[in-house]
Amino acid sequence: PVLALYPGLVDAFLAFPGFPGLPETAFDPAALPPFLARVQGEHHDLAVQLHGNGMLTNAFVQLLGARDTAGHFLPAVQRPQGDGLWLEYPGRGHEIRRLLGLVRFLGAPDDGEDLPLAPDPAHRAGVLDLLAGEGVRADRLAVVHAGASDPDRRWPASRFAAVAHSLAALGFDVVLTGSRHEGATTAAVLHAAGAGVHDLTGKTGLGTLAELLHLARVLVSNDTGVSHLAVATATPSVVVFSRPERERWAPLDSDLHRAVGPSVARPGATGPTLREPAVCPSADCTPTGRSDLGDRCLRDACRLASGVEHVEGPPTATVLREVARLLQDLRTRRGLPDAVPSHARPA
């Protein structure tokens, strides 16, 4: 579906057959050998591993049989074979910049940090029909996304309901989005939010959701995929972080997007105490013992901070205040009466 919507981004797609230790797809031992035989038979020049620190994925990508393989690696594990094509995994930094750093290391052209998705006329009519069927005014649209695949990234539904209620009180028509698996979460938000809130759970594919965001004046969401899509559609957003991963995942444009939640503590930092999880969620967590890697364990994104409390999500008032500031800043900068993004203003 992604290729059909945006053919200019990717030339071809191969469905991942699964691999031991990677949770995204169930590993099927019978499916792996024919997959590898097919890819190896294509005799690729280069395979690039862009999936974190490479502890598990470097081995998989090397099995693809390309003439050369490149990627990040953890020195605490092992430097893969192939001089000049492997870059030590940074212990900190934004994910976009870490991955682009590898691409630049390999000598590829620097096309910048943005990945814009232009409005799609093919989906615009369908989205407008969907909104009209729900009684939603497209020129007063706000989107709230309370779901996330990782439970630790989900801000409480009751707090999202308070945000949705507040946006409706400001005159927005609020829609709730989410996959069909997140129906219980959005139902809880809908029940508590009251009038002016509409549930589109399970009704938006990728293209529909992107076009919905193109129309929206603001998105409030967890730190999850819809936040990155809002960056690509240039939709103003407030992203709620319940874990201290703003440094890694928050939108880079802090004028159009606001990240609310805990940051990662730094040695010698001044100001209010910053908190982070005390332990890695993995039962087999093992620290590298290397200060230059932030004492990361062998799982990507894990940090150890002995004796530090687990972080709760930000208070509702904090998120509401950031939403209000974002809308006010948009009004001031763009000279608009009600913070309507230029791409969403009616003709």
Side-chain angles (χ1 to χ4, degrees), residues 276-294:
E276 60 186 76
V279 295
C280 173
S282 171
D284 60 353
C285 177
T286 306
T288 63
R290 293 190 52 171
S291 59
D292 59 325
L293 292 180

Side-chain angles (χ1 to χ4, degrees), residues 30-93:
L32 185 59
F35 174 88
L36 293 177
R38 173 187 173 184
V39 179
Q40 290 170 6
E42 294 174 350
H43 304 291
H44 293 283
D45 294 318
L46 177 66
V48 184
Q49 186 283 109
L50 289 167
H51 196 273
N53 61 34
M55 185 185 71
L56 295 174
T57 46
N58 282 343
F60 172 78
V61 176
Q62 287 176 301
L63 287 173
L64 299 179
R67 187 186 66 196
D68 290 308
T69 306
H72 282 122
F73 75 101
L74 278 177
V77 182
Q78 183 180 10
R79 184 188 184 98
Q81 296 179 347
D83 292 339
L85 297 178
W86 296 94
L87 184 64
E88 185 173 322
Y89 185 69
R92 61 185 60 173

Side-chain angles (χ1 to χ4, degrees), residues 3 16-17 32-33 44 55 90 99 107 109 141 148 158 178 183 187 223 257 270 288 308 330 342:
L3 296 187
F16 178 57
L32 185 59
H44 293 283
M55 185 185 71
L99 295 182
L141 177 64
S158 60
D223 166 35
H257 311 281
T270 59
T288 63
V308 181
L330 290 172
S342 58

Side-chain angles (χ1 to χ4, degrees), residues 25 41 45 50 59 66 77 94 103 105 113-114 142 155 172 175 179 201 205 273 284 288 338:
T25 302
D45 294 318
L50 289 167
V77 182
H94 197 281
V103 175
F105 169 76
E113 298 173 342
D114 297 326
W155 201 44
F172 290 100
V175 299
S179 70
T201 303
T273 301
D284 60 353
T288 63
D338 51 6

